[in-house]
Amino acid sequence: MLQPKKVKWRKQQKGRMRGKAYRGCNLDFGDYGLQAVDRARVTSRQIEAARVAMTRHVKRGGKVWIRIYPDKPVTKKPAETRMGKGKGNPEEWVAIVKPGRILYEMEGVPLVVAKEALRLAAHKLPMKTRLVSREGRHEGA
């Protein structure tokens, strides 16, 4: 699973997910992509599960790019622990995804295969997405 090798600070504040994505919202590598419609925190497990679903469907044909990276630590206190005594330990890594962000890109496969692979990947993610292609056709995924 994806996570940073080294970070300057172990714990971060929660922050807000307001606004829309201005960077990373165009297809830069592949012919087809999965674009976020909602905002969400995507964990490294979800990113990996979607990638596995895509690559299994295309039977390791074509090329896949992951355009998001989980660089924000999420802390959690142990179960049955009383309040106080400081912030919990980092448990998982998440990527903050805003509307318009391209999550995955593909090339080297036909449209019908890419559509089904991206649909399978979308089911693993916690937000609404849509399929985008270089030809400019937008279809719900």
Side-chain angles (χ1 to χ4, degrees):
M1 274 170 288
L2 296 171
Q3 72 177 40
K5 285 190 184 76
K6 191 168 99 172
V7 289
K8 194 165 186 181
W9 311 109
R10 277 180 66 226
K11 302 175 185 179
Q12 283 185 21
Q13 291 187 335
K14 187 176 285 187
R16 297 286 175 261
M17 295 190 289
R18 298 170 53 189
K20 58 185 179 185
Y22 291 101
R23 299 168 60 131
C25 46
N26 297 320
L27 286 177
D28 291 333
F29 303 101
D31 298 327
Y32 307 104
L34 195 63
Q35 187 176 42
V37 177
D38 292 338
R39 62 192 82 245
R41 296 197 314 185
V42 185
T43 67
S44 58
R45 289 174 185 270
Q46 292 165 337
I47 294 170
E48 180 65 12
R51 184 197 66 79
V52 167
M54 286 171 60
T55 52
R56 282 213 177 125
H57 182 73
V58 298
K59 297 180 177 65
R60 295 188 308 200
K63 187 157 171 55
V64 174
W65 287 270
I66 303 174
R67 295 284 308 273
I68 53 175
Y69 188 79
D71 57 354
K72 187 180 188 72
V74 174
T75 61
K76 194 172 182 184
K77 291 179 82 69
E80 300 179 9
T81 304
R82 293 184 177 187
M83 293 292 104
K85 302 279 191 286
K87 191 169 176 153
N89 292 321
E91 291 295 319
E92 62 183 2
W93 295 88
V94 298
I96 303 299
V97 175
K98 295 180 179 181
R101 181 71 191 224
I102 300 289
L103 308 170
Y104 297 95
E105 293 189 30
M106 295 183 80
E107 78 170 6
V109 291
L111 172 63
V112 290
V113 176
K115 200 184 240 185
E116 180 62 17
L118 291 168
R119 186 188 70 80
L120 290 170
H123 282 300
K124 310 288 184 198
L125 299 172
M127 81 283 258
K128 285 186 180 175
T129 57
R130 67 178 185 175
L131 176 74
V132 291
S133 62
R134 278 226 190 267
E135 292 82 46
R137 293 192 303 257
H138 300 296
E139 300 156 32

